Amino acid sequence: MAKDGAKSQEDYKLKDMKPDLGEKWPHGGQRGGSGWISSERVASTYDLVEQMFYLYVRVVKAKDLPPNPVTSNCDPYVEVKIGNYKGKTKHFEKRTNPEWNQVFAFSKDKIQSSTVEVFVRDKEMVTRDDYIGKVVFDMHEIPTRVPPDSPLAPQWYRLEARRGEAKKRGEVMVAVWLGTQADEAFPDAWHSDASSVQGEGVQSVRAKVYVSPKLWYLRVNVIEAQDVEPSDRSQPPQAFVKVQVGNQILKTKLCPNKTTNPMWNEDLVFVAAEPFEEQFFLTVENKVSSAKDEVMGRLISPLNAFEKRLDHRAVHSKWYNLEKFGFGALEGDKRHELKFSSRIHLRVCLEGGYHVMDESTLYISDVKPTARQLWKKPIGILEVGILSAQGLSPMKTKDGKATTDPYCVAKYGQKWVRTRTIIESFSPKWNEQYMWEVYDPCTVITLGVFDNCHLGGSEKSNNGAKVDARIGKVRIRLSTLEADRIYTHSYPLLVLQTKGLKKMGEVQLAVRFTCLSMAHMMYLYGHPLLPKMHYLHPFTVNQLDSLRYQAMSIVAARLARAEPPLRKEIVEYMLDVDSHMWSMRRSKANFFRIVSVFSSLIAMSKWLGDVCYWKNPLTTILFHVLFFILICYPELILPTAFLYMFLIGLWSFRFRPRHPPHMDTKISWAEAATADELDEEFDTFPTSKGQDVVKMRYDRLRSVAGRIQMVVGDIATQGERFQALLSWRDPRATCLFVITCLVAAMVLYVTPFKIVALAAGMYWMRHPKFRSKMPSAPSNFFRKLPSKADMML
């Protein structure tokens, strides 16, 4: 059992890799090496991945195709065949000069044929498709094209008849070349590896880059309204304002007075995304009863109409005319008269000086303000090579067979990347490289591996839902990476499920952080992480939580509209949407993190206690000597402390981490979580469990919260006792303390500080023979001071 535990711990750790990185010529030899080209050649942009070679066939168009002698029409399409692999273009109806402009990519490792055949056929609805002609290419004569070379020019080729007929068969324009995954044609090409994917699923297997929408905070300061009139004019209204932007609805508080000229002076903040598709919709409503609100006027405006603010300067307020709600039923002059009968005073602006947070600040990847003119220059470049994965778990069944169709998503800043989907593979090889600009090193890149469930086939995921299942996630903090070093590691993909922790496989990455300006990067360490508006006009904690959720929802909705869509479940998993939810496991993990943080202080206090109690006489004597030196020469105290920290830093350099951080199962408390705790963590919100289960969990939560409450109350009690020293809540205690302070001031005035410090230190380090087991007088005095606990109900 111990061996199994040790093995699982090894499985959960980071592993070194030695992949064969760098671009090579297809017939051997390193680019920039000792081959044709000297090392002076510019480095490739694809040097963090293993080179993969593909045979590309670009079918552009055809001309002068002969019509079918029976139907007198031609419905042409092209079939590209290499060995057992076939790729087809779409067919056109009744066209003798069709244009396809489609690229086919065949993996060179799987090609077992010496020829490439390009067939042009006529689509028949009933009988077998008619043969028009073909072009054959010899594999050994196909040219090699490696970027930054320009694309290969396509050529016209005369179509050959099947049996050497002299009859003219037309011509087809084709380009055939050998290239790599760095080729511009690679992302949009039809891949032989995904030949089984049909229909809409074809788009979802391709590699894509997405950009998050540009997000703004919309601040609405509702000041006052004039001449708002309810339907019952005998009763003055108790008014409030409701503002809606998209799916976000916020309300002001009720005006405390019942009046036709209410005042609020309240801020409402929303998230809006460019392009601004939502309308600004405001209504002034009257609280008629607890169950009924009456609309007294409304205002509708496009978001583009409002001013954009880039700093903390004041924005001018404006009066807006309110439409009388329901005035459309009125006619003529009466309608015109009521249209401007009331108005509202607002200060509205789009905030460009904030960074709109759509991810947790713990794993933030972007800290730039919304307004581009406030951006600083980038300080570095982050390059990630998504190499491959190993040992992935089967995620679904397809035609009765367990399988996985994996792809990887990476998110840093506003740029999301999605690799192509590798069909039916537990050990996929992506070998795709991506690059991001870095504006602050204290940021995190997140990579997730998912199973594609939208290929248009008969696949069925294990949980039965048609969602892209999570295989695992990796986070890498850039500040933990050395500059200009290539990190090649295999990261464990760990997922917490209701049954417990499960390793879903490993993903292999190559990461390089290139620093453009070391001085600028060091300069950033002394500056706040977020733009200054977050500190000049901060949001409340509740506002930040609500705004982050709204921002995440907007990003998910916009990315789901791309083609192929980056689906909601992917965006939510990458942005850690559920990180704020209660979890017994996380609470334990955070508690033990606190214990770990204070363990060094506890160890230091224990060591000092051992010194005081003469556990090791030699150490205590040496400590006395150091104490005497520092008392005699007090100017050495601070230099000694800093020198000691410098020496600790030098000593710790030998034990510095050599690998970037990864998901740690022990810190996460994932292995020790019980089945019930995991079931609670994966419960829906609101809960979907039965009454007995909820009652048990509620009682457990009350128990945990009671202990936290006691600790917080104890800390508050100690603080209130410090305040009671001089507040005269206990007049005798305060009188004693004030007199003691006077005596101490007089003694310290006439006694040199060295003597006082020496006497205090010698008393503190006195031998156990001179110690009492009873608490000291100052401690007794402090514990008897009053706190406000006795004022609580």
Side-chain angles (χ1 to χ4, degrees):
M1 289 295 289
K3 285 185 178 178
D4 290 343
K7 186 176 182 298
S8 68
Q9 281 302 317
E10 283 300 314
D11 282 347
Y12 297 154
K13 288 184 179 176
L14 209 63
K15 295 175 185 172
D16 275 316
M17 292 189 332
K18 292 187 178 176
D20 193 14
L21 303 183
E23 200 162 32
K24 292 181 173 58
W25 290 101
H27 306 297
Q30 186 84 24
R31 278 190 77 181
S34 56
W36 309 340
I37 297 175
S38 70
S39 58
E40 297 296 319
R41 187 176 177 120
V42 178
S44 165
T45 54
Y46 256 64
D47 60 344
L48 291 185
V49 291
E50 295 181 350
Q51 207 67 10
M52 298 172 72
F53 287 97
Y54 289 86
L55 179 74
Y56 291 98
V57 180
R58 182 187 294 277
V59 180
V60 184
K61 55 187 174 181
K63 67 179 180 181
D64 302 332
L65 298 179
N68 188 300
V70 178
T71 62
S72 300
N73 290 322
C74 183
D75 302 336
Y77 71 92
V78 172
E79 179 183 270
V80 180
K81 183 181 178 186
I82 302 179
N84 294 325
Y85 292 102
K86 290 181 183 178
K88 293 180 182 179
T89 66
K90 60 184 178 182
H91 80 277
F92 290 103
E93 292 186 4
K94 301 178 182 180
R95 196 176 298 182
T96 57
N97 296 306
E99 287 192 25
W100 295 283
N101 201 22
Q102 192 170 341
V103 181
F104 298 86
F106 299 86
S107 177
K108 185 170 180 276
D109 296 339
K110 298 180 181 178
I111 294 175
Q112 296 176 344
S113 173
S114 59
T115 58
V116 181
E117 297 176 292
V118 179
F119 294 93
V120 181
R121 300 187 188 275
D122 183 9
K123 183 81 172 173
E124 296 292 343
M125 298 303 292
V126 181
T127 60
R128 186 178 174 187
D129 293 349
D130 192 23
Y131 172 91
I132 296 176
K134 72 173 180 177
V135 180
V136 180
F137 299 91
D138 187 343
M139 285 287 293
H140 300 292
E141 302 300 324
I142 292 172
T144 300
R145 185 243 164 180
V146 180
D149 291 350
S150 297
L152 193 69
Q155 297 181 38
W156 285 107
Y157 293 91
R158 188 171 297 167
L159 292 169
E160 299 175 10
R162 184 174 295 167
R163 299 181 185 86
E165 300 167 9
K167 195 174 176 183
K168 190 176 179 184
R169 313 299 295 178
E171 296 180 38
V172 64
M173 182 180 276
V174 178
V176 184
W177 72 97
L178 199 63
T180 68
Q181 75 266 43
D183 204 292
E184 291 91 342
F186 180 79
D188 293 320
W190 173 94
H191 284 266
S192 58
D193 296 341
S195 57
S196 61
V197 181
Q198 303 296 330
E200 295 180 1
V202 172
Q203 280 291 332
S204 73
V205 301
R206 291 175 174 164
K208 293 292 176 186
V209 174
Y210 304 82
V211 179
S212 292
K214 187 177 183 181
L215 300 176
W216 295 77
Y217 284 135
L218 175 72
R219 189 187 295 271
V220 183
N221 180 220
V222 183
I223 303 170
E224 59 182 325
Q226 282 185 354
D227 303 326
V228 289
E229 294 181 352
S231 54
D232 181 8
R233 300 197 181 185
S234 62
Q235 289 286 335
Q238 188 163 26
F240 68 94
V241 173
K242 182 170 79 174
V243 181
Q244 180 171 356
V245 177
N247 295 326
Q248 305 165 74
I249 300 175
L250 293 177
K251 300 176 182 178
T252 65
K253 294 173 184 171
L254 287 173
C255 179
N257 304 319
K258 288 191 173 186
T259 172
T260 56
N261 297 316
M263 292 191 69
W264 299 279
N265 198 22
E266 195 172 328
D267 266 5
L268 306 176
V269 185
F270 302 85
V271 179
E274 283 189 1
F276 299 121
E277 298 174 347
E278 294 84 9
Q279 293 272 70
F280 174 84
F281 190 87
L282 177 146
T283 54
V284 181
E285 302 187 19
N286 176 27
K287 194 75 175 175
V288 179
S289 66
S290 59
K292 184 182 177 184
D293 298 328
E294 175 200 1
V295 178
M296 297 184 289
R298 69 179 179 185
L299 169 67
I300 302 174
S301 172
L303 297 181
N304 285 322
F306 300 124
E307 186 179 347
K308 293 180 179 177
R309 180 170 78 164
L310 306 184
D311 51 23
H312 57 280
R313 65 183 172 81
V315 174
H316 297 297
S317 59
K318 286 176 66 177
W319 284 96
Y320 295 87
N321 293 317
L322 289 172
E323 294 179 11
K324 190 72 174 177
F325 189 74
F327 75 83
L330 302 171
E331 295 178 2
D333 296 335
K334 194 172 183 184
R335 163 178 163 170
H336 185 73
E337 174 192 336
L338 289 174
K339 188 172 181 180
F340 302 106
S341 63
S342 57
R343 57 182 189 160
I344 190 165
H345 194 192
L346 303 174
R347 184 181 286 109
V348 189
C349 67
L350 288 158
E351 298 278 15
Y354 289 90
H355 167 69
V356 181
M357 280 181 279
D358 58 350
E359 53 196 345
S360 169
T361 49
L362 297 173
Y363 320 121
I364 200 163
S365 67
D366 185 16
V367 293
K368 302 188 299 296
T370 297
R372 184 173 283 272
Q373 51 265 54
L374 298 179
W375 293 8
K376 309 293 184 188
K377 288 183 179 179
I379 55 101
I381 300 291
L382 173 66
E383 295 165 281
V384 177
I386 302 171
L387 302 175
S388 59
Q390 295 292 329
L392 296 183
S393 300
M395 301 300 295
K396 62 186 173 216
T397 54
K398 187 186 291 184
D399 300 327
K401 185 179 72 171
T403 184
T404 301
D405 301 318
Y407 65 93
C408 186
V409 174
K411 196 264 182 194
Y412 182 79
Q414 290 183 313
K415 179 179 172 181
W416 299 67
V417 300
R418 169 182 176 151
T419 67
R420 68 193 189 284
T421 300
I422 307 296
I423 306 299
E424 297 181 17
S425 175
F426 299 123
S427 300
K429 289 188 176 181
W430 294 291
N431 283 308
E432 297 179 25
Q433 184 169 336
Y434 298 96
M435 183 182 76
W436 289 266
E437 288 182 330
V438 177
Y439 291 84
D440 195 298
C442 303
T443 45
V444 176
I445 181 171
T446 305
L447 300 100
V449 182
F450 301 88
D451 173 50
N452 197 332
C453 287
H454 296 83
L455 300 179
S458 60
E459 66 271 1
K460 185 178 179 183
S461 62
N462 288 342
N463 58 11
K466 195 80 169 176
V467 295
D468 289 357
R470 308 167 178 180
I471 298 178
K473 182 163 58 177
V474 174
R475 295 192 200 97
I476 302 172
R477 186 169 290 275
L478 271 56
S479 58
T480 62
L481 304 176
E482 295 177 20
D484 303 315
R485 176 184 165 188
I486 297 177
Y487 290 84
T488 52
H489 291 105
S490 185
Y491 293 80
L493 294 170
L494 306 173
V495 171
L496 200 62
Q497 300 174 337
T498 50
K499 295 178 182 176
L501 181 69
K502 184 177 180 183
K503 182 180 177 182
M504 308 294 283
E506 296 179 0
V507 64
Q508 296 169 348
L509 305 173
V511 182
R512 177 172 58 205
F513 173 47
T514 306
C515 179
L516 300 177
S517 171
M518 185 60 73
H520 190 189
M521 188 160 71
M522 293 301 184
Y523 168 81
L524 284 177
Y525 273 93
H527 281 70
L529 184 68
L530 295 169
K532 63 180 181 181
M533 281 293 287
H534 286 268
Y535 307 97
L536 296 176
H537 293 285
F539 295 115
T540 64
V541 174
N542 288 339
Q543 269 184 318
L544 280 175
D545 284 344
S546 172
L547 291 170
R548 182 192 163 226
Y549 178 78
Q550 295 297 342
M552 187 277 303
S553 300
I554 290 171
V555 170
R558 289 290 178 94
L559 292 179
R561 287 159 57 179
E563 183 58 43
L566 202 61
R567 300 181 187 278
K568 184 181 179 183
E569 65 267 19
I570 298 163
V571 176
E572 288 184 348
Y573 183 55
M574 297 290 285
L575 295 180
D576 290 285
V577 66
D578 56 353
S579 61
H580 67 286
M581 297 295 288
W582 159 260
S583 161
M584 193 75 173
R585 175 188 61 84
R586 280 201 198 101
S587 300
K588 284 182 182 176
N590 287 332
F591 171 76
F592 284 103
R593 283 172 61 203
I594 293 172
V595 170
S596 177
V597 166
F598 287 107
S599 62
S600 55
L601 293 176
I602 294 167
M604 177 66 75
S605 65
K606 187 179 178 184
W607 181 78
L608 288 172
D610 291 346
V611 167
C612 294
Y613 281 87
W614 290 72
K615 292 285 178 71
N616 187 336
L618 180 62
T619 304
T620 306
I621 290 167
L622 289 173
F623 192 85
H624 275 76
V625 172
L626 177 64
F627 181 72
F628 272 108
I629 294 170
L630 293 179
I631 292 302
C632 295
Y633 302 98
E635 63 274 8
L636 294 178
I637 293 175
L638 281 177
T640 303
F642 283 109
L643 180 64
Y644 181 63
M645 287 189 283
F646 170 75
L647 292 173
I648 290 176
L650 280 185
W651 178 258
S652 302
F653 182 75
R654 296 172 56 200
F655 310 104
R656 69 191 185 281
R658 304 300 170 95
H659 304 318
H662 65 286
M663 301 292 184
D664 191 309
T665 54
K666 278 194 170 181
I667 288 179
S668 306
W669 211 250
E671 296 167 285
T674 65
D676 182 62
E677 289 170 356
L678 291 172
D679 186 55
E680 180 184 24
E681 186 167 339
F682 286 98
D683 190 10
T684 57
F685 184 83
T687 182
S688 57
K689 299 295 177 183
Q691 186 175 351
D692 293 341
V693 176
V694 174
K695 182 175 181 293
M696 182 272 291
R697 288 178 181 168
Y698 176 61
D699 288 340
R700 181 175 64 191
L701 187 59
R702 288 173 66 192
S703 170
V704 173
R707 278 176 278 176
I708 295 170
Q709 176 183 295
M710 287 177 64
V711 172
V712 172
D714 193 45
I715 293 170
T717 295
Q718 307 310 321
E720 288 164 356
R721 283 173 177 165
F722 270 109
Q723 291 178 334
L725 285 169
L726 294 169
S727 67
W728 296 89
R729 288 194 64 231
D730 181 339
R732 286 165 293 280
T734 303
C735 182
L736 270 173
F737 182 70
V738 168
I739 292 170
T740 304
C741 287
L742 177 63
V743 172
M746 294 170 63
V747 170
L748 290 173
Y749 185 75
V750 298
T751 311
F753 177 75
K754 290 181 184 180
I755 303 299
V756 175
L758 184 62
M762 294 305 295
Y763 174 78
W764 179 62
M765 292 185 291
R766 68 195 183 278
H767 198 275
K769 289 180 181 177
F770 305 109
R771 292 179 182 272
S772 168
K773 291 186 179 180
M774 299 299 291
S776 63
S779 174
N780 293 331
F781 176 76
F782 184 75
R783 286 177 184 174
K784 291 183 177 181
L785 289 169
S787 72
K788 294 181 181 177
D790 49 354
M791 298 166 67
M792 293 181 66
L793 288 171

